[in-house]
Amino acid sequence: MSTRECALKNFKLLLEDILNDKNGFYRYKNGKLNISKISRVSGLSWNFLKRELYIRGLL
């Protein structure tokens, strides 16, 4: 399994957690996603998260 495949697998699990987030842990007060916090919690890079969230229309 390549590094990208492993990162995408982890990202899918993280994405489910983000979309089911009820207490707003991953969001700023204005409702936008806090990519820096998501990156620190998940261990995935900021650039990878930004690109993948943009592809899925969440940014």
Side-chain angles (χ1 to χ4, degrees):
M1 183 180 285
S2 73
T3 305
R4 177 158 174 82
E5 289 173 351
C6 186
L8 282 172
K9 183 179 177 183
N10 289 338
F11 177 74
K12 287 179 184 178
L13 294 172
L14 178 66
L15 186 60
E16 290 176 14
D17 190 34
I18 291 170
L19 294 176
N20 293 328
D21 182 29
K22 300 209 185 290
N23 63 359
F25 180 73
Y26 296 112
R27 297 190 180 270
Y28 290 114
K29 289 183 180 181
N30 64 2
K32 293 184 179 180
L33 286 175
N34 186 343
I35 299 173
S36 297
K37 183 182 276 188
I38 296 169
S39 133
R40 282 193 309 269
V41 169
S42 68
L44 298 170
S45 75
W46 186 86
N47 287 326
F48 175 80
L49 286 171
K50 186 165 182 160
R51 181 179 57 244
E52 294 299 324
L53 291 170
Y54 183 75
I55 289 170
R56 286 161 176 77
L58 297 173
L59 288 182

